[in-house]
Amino acid sequence: MKKLALIFAVAVLIPSLVLAWLAIRSLKDQQFLLERQQSLLYQGTADTAARQAADLIESCNDEFAAVLEQLLRGQDPASLVATFDETIRGHWPLAQLGFVVSLDGRVLCPKPNGRAEARDFLGDYSRFLGNRETLEVYSNVKQLPAQVLANDQKQQESSSWSKDSSANRLNAVLRNTQQRSVVPQQNYSKLEQQVAVPAPQPAVDNSSRVSPSETEFRQLIGEQSRGSLARYVDNKLNLLVWQRPAKDPGTVFGAMLSLPRLVEKLEPVTRTMDRSLAAEACVVLLDDSARPAAKSHPSFQTNWKRPFVATEIGEALPHWEIGIYLLDPARLPRSAGLFKLTLGLLIALLVATIGTGSWLIVTDLNRQLALARKKTDFVSNVSHELKTPLTSIRMFSELLAEGRVTDAGKQREYLGIITAETARLTRLINNVLDLAKMDRGEKNYRLQTCLLNEVVCETVDLLRPHLSSAGFQLKVAVPEELIPVRADRDALAQIVVNLLSNAEKYAGEQKEISIELSRKSGAPGRAEVRVLDRGLGVPRGCEEKIFEQFYRAHDSLNSGIPGTGLGLTLARQIARAHGGDVCQERREGGGSVFTLWLPTTANDP
Ligand code: ADP
């Protein structure tokens, strides 16, 4: 049994508890994991939107090239130059201003005496376009078609805004590392950290991945056919696209883009999100000051500096970002909390189940151990119980058989002893057989209506000679009123015999036994047979155990009283099979009272 308990502990209990402990530890990280999972999901969306935005801006170059080509088709470059500002604005809504520069540094359009916007432009850019000044710009250039620049062997085809080797080659004199205007939540290792730190500093590098290069316009162009550049003038973003027509590669036509129109063009990018995600998050196009330029949920407001995830658009729109904001930021901790609670409850249930299972197994093991011990005791008790009467029977029958006892009185006495011992043997064997039958569910009762008065009187009469000869004073109180019960007569007699023989066995010095039959007062339809003695009494704590199989409160070793621990078990089982019970209580003044109660029947036998 101990080995079994050890195997159970090693194979089931300890691993289960370790697993439960690990699961409880992992509970703490659930919120972080959930947030991480979500941020990965939304990061993908933000990256895609940022890519789409960059592609749309890239397409402005193509649009400009197409418009210019159309304009040049109708007229020759020289005649277009003078009116290019007005012409391009008239033909391309995205253009806010048109300019023309010759490769040798002459600004051909707009004219210095033109409209105010043109004058401002010239103030900001004429020295740069004329190659007399370097500026910090974010640039992107495109190569001329191969047939135009056939002499340039080293040109490479490039279409990317951010990784253009030619632009990078342009001596990046000064590279500023700028911080991003937003701090996405995924930059923190844990949500708790954000809550704990009121003005959080990013746990990871939050510097922008785009940085300006300081360059002259001529240097920027190199041998490229077209390109674009972005620049901040007084914190206002200027976006310029330019093109060297194949017809006249010595002239650079360019346009400054209208930012509000560009934003209109980019607006659909915020609405490309998956529908299920759109119900939970808002996609926002953020400008360089982290102000929303366009958003998927127009009425949504929040702290724009703290998106859940964000991606920079790149050199095409420097320091502009696609930010994703949770519509209900409390939902994440709430779901994490719910998840934690569910998991916690499951773990608690698991631990409780393991605990209950272990307790049941230990209890059962203990029960099995106790039963095994009791069975061993039973075998030795039964052997003893069989041996004692058999020895007396053999001794007295030998004495009588050898004719050594001539006195008639003695002969009667010995015969009486032989009869009593035989009855004891019969009782013992009956008890053992009956119990075995009951255990197998084979015990059948022959129920009939009989008078309890008769059963009690007959049984007492049967035992009276033996008890009297053993020096017992037996008081019998049976009422004149007849008490009918529906029962197996022999089985009832067996209960009474067992109770009386216990009263005899555990009588001690005071050999006084009473048996009383009555209708139970206050409980109509119930009769009780009470067997009272002034004997040893049932030790405290054993009041219920004495009804268990093989249990003996006074064992043979210590008390010297023989027994098997079956009499009361049997008595109770028979009584319960008849709808009644056998109970024990302490008797005032010492001794015990054993009560058999049974339901009565109205019918007379
Ligand atoms: P047995 O008498 O063979 O041991 P029982 O089932 O009849 O088995 O009784 C169980 C135990 O209950 C006894 O061992 C004894 O300790 C206790 N007991 C039964 N009857 C009495 C009684 N009248 N007085 C004191 N103890 C009793």
Side-chain angles (χ1 to χ4, degrees), residues 385 498-499 502-503 505-506 533 535-539 546-548 551-555 562-569 592 594:
E385 281 276 84
N498 282 355
L499 295 183
N502 275 355
K505 272 200 293 186
Y506 304 103
D533 63 55
L536 307 176
V538 176
I546 54 174
F547 292 98
E548 288 173 14
Y551 188 85
R552 303 204 65 217
H554 305 89
D555 61 35
T564 53
L566 292 181
L568 287 180
T569 315
S592 333
F594 281 85

Side-chain angles (χ1 to χ4, degrees), residues 421-455:
E421 291 298 298
T422 316
R424 196 169 132 193
L425 268 181
T426 313
R427 222 167 32 239
L428 170 70
I429 290 164
N430 279 346
N431 278 352
V432 173
L433 290 179
D434 279 353
L435 208 74
K437 271 190 189 169
M438 281 180 195
D439 278 354
R440 293 197 303 267
E442 289 172 1
K443 175 79 181 168
N444 293 320
Y445 296 100
R446 279 184 296 116
L447 296 180
Q448 56 184 4
T449 307
C450 55
L451 291 172
L452 202 51
N453 315 53
E454 281 178 14
V455 178

